[in-house]
Amino acid sequence: MEATVSKRWLLARLYDPEQTIVDCRFTLGKPQAGRESYEQEHIPGAVYLDLELDLSSPVTEHGGRHPLPDPQVLAARLSRLGISNDTRIVAYDDESGMNAARLWWLLRYLGHEQVFILEDSFGTWKAEKYPVTDHQPIRVPSTFVANVQPQMLAGVDEVRTVSEKTVAAMGDTVNSDSTAPHPVLPILIDSRANDRYQGLNETLDKKAGHIPGALNYFWKNTQNADGSYKSADELQEHFTGLDKDREIIVYCGSGVTACPNVLALEKAGYKNVRLYAGSWSDWISYEDNPIASGEK
């Protein structure tokens, strides 16, 4: 089954006792807005998880603006919400799926595969007269046991090495007439908008630019105008030129909007995709890390 589900699919299973719906709405710069929106109205039966309080850990010197939550802390939070390892989870938001994708990625990182994203926003759900409520469900605690999948992550040291070797290989290609192949390196993908990638318009982080050697694939370009994900064929065309046999490391500003790109890459048939969770905001927290600007 694909990682996304339709409104009709969810409506038909709205009161399935083996399922938990999770509202992930969150507005950067307005940390209370998501919970307030949830308390006003949400999909019936939904519980709420906050991007910064539940799906991230406190900000420190390194780790970026949204460091990954401690797996045991998140597992305890899920348990209190009545979510077990057998629960099917459907997540939604009103931000083009980026926060829901963060939960999707985190749950898979904890070893939980039965997690899906509603392919439409809450706003679309409501506009099309699907049911909403302000009732907050009473949840019976359960037990969720984390089975962490460390291979899904790439750390700053590895990203630094990949960046250095990629830039060196690019230089060798330009300056050499040799046709000998270069060692196969992971591909770095920057998920931010192109103006941020180029360093032309940085409003969230202290430094502008991108990790040297990274390619730019804006995460919103994986979606249709209504916020639903493009088909597998469309995504394959979108990622044309990326070798499916190579490893891919995806980052963004803080590790959130990279998650929709991870989902889209997997949907397009890329099997070896990892997340640099700290992303750009972690990269620039190390003074010696180089910064590139422009299209290269």
Side-chain angles (χ1 to χ4, degrees), residues 11-276:
L11 181 65
R13 297 162 178 81
L14 201 56
Y15 300 103
D16 187 336
E18 303 301 321
Q19 173 179 277
T20 297
I21 302 170
V22 181
D23 187 318
C24 299
R25 284 177 288 173
F26 186 88
T27 303
L28 290 175
K30 299 179 180 179
Q32 300 301 320
R35 176 168 288 280
E36 290 172 356
S37 295
Y38 166 78
E39 291 175 351
Q40 291 171 6
E41 54 186 3
H42 49 264
I43 295 176
V47 298
Y48 183 74
L49 285 175
D50 186 286
L51 173 63
E52 294 186 343
L53 299 180
D54 300 312
L55 306 184
S56 305
S57 60
V59 175
T60 58
E61 180 181 3
H62 302 299
R65 286 183 282 108
H66 293 111
L68 290 185
D70 180 280
Q72 301 308 320
V73 172
L74 179 55
R77 176 71 175 123
L78 296 171
S79 297
R80 289 194 297 273
L81 289 174
I83 296 172
S84 75
N85 297 84
D86 297 322
T87 305
R88 181 176 68 243
I89 299 168
V90 179
Y92 70 88
D93 60 34
D94 240 347
E95 293 76 38
S96 299
M98 69 178 193
N99 301 320
R102 167 76 164 206
L103 178 60
W104 170 85
W105 187 91
L106 280 171
L107 284 166
R108 293 169 71 246
Y109 176 61
L110 297 188
H112 191 77
E113 294 292 334
Q114 283 288 100
V115 54
F116 306 96
I117 297 173
L118 182 64
E119 63 185 25
D120 296 292
S121 67
F122 174 79
T124 301
W125 174 278
K126 180 182 175 183
E128 296 186 8
K129 307 301 181 182
Y130 284 78
V132 299
T133 183
D134 63 356
H135 174 71
Q136 297 184 37
I138 297 173
R139 303 291 296 180
V140 178
S142 186
T143 301
F144 186 97
V145 179
N147 180 21
V148 177
Q149 307 294 306
Q151 73 279 4
M152 293 175 58
L153 275 177
V156 64
D157 291 336
E158 181 180 2
V159 172
R160 187 182 295 117
T161 299
V162 171
S163 172
E164 291 172 353
K165 291 184 176 180
T166 299
V167 171
M170 291 165 61
D172 290 345
T173 300
V174 171
N175 299 319
S176 174
D177 294 329
S178 172
T179 59
H182 290 286
V184 176
L185 294 168
I187 301 169
L188 289 175
I189 287 184
D190 187 314
S191 303
R192 298 171 300 164
N194 186 258
D195 58 347
R196 292 185 66 199
Y197 169 81
Q198 291 196 56
L200 301 174
N201 181 30
E202 183 54 66
T203 59
L204 294 173
D205 292 305
K206 295 179 180 179
K207 297 180 181 179
H210 61 266
I211 298 174
L215 304 176
N216 184 219
Y217 285 85
F218 185 32
W219 70 278
K220 281 195 174 182
N221 291 340
T222 66
Q223 300 177 345
N224 298 306
D226 62 1
S228 62
Y229 281 90
K230 293 179 178 178
S231 69
D233 288 343
E234 291 171 321
L235 290 172
Q236 288 175 19
E237 182 177 354
H238 172 67
F239 292 118
T240 294
L242 294 182
D243 187 347
K244 288 188 176 181
D245 292 328
R246 290 176 65 180
E247 183 179 358
I248 296 176
I249 298 174
V250 187
Y251 76 91
C252 58
S254 67
V256 177
T257 58
C259 293
N261 248 355
V262 172
L263 187 155
L265 281 159
E266 292 187 3
K267 185 173 182 178
Y270 293 83
K271 303 298 183 184
N272 195 356
V273 184
R274 294 195 287 156
L275 176 70
Y276 172 26

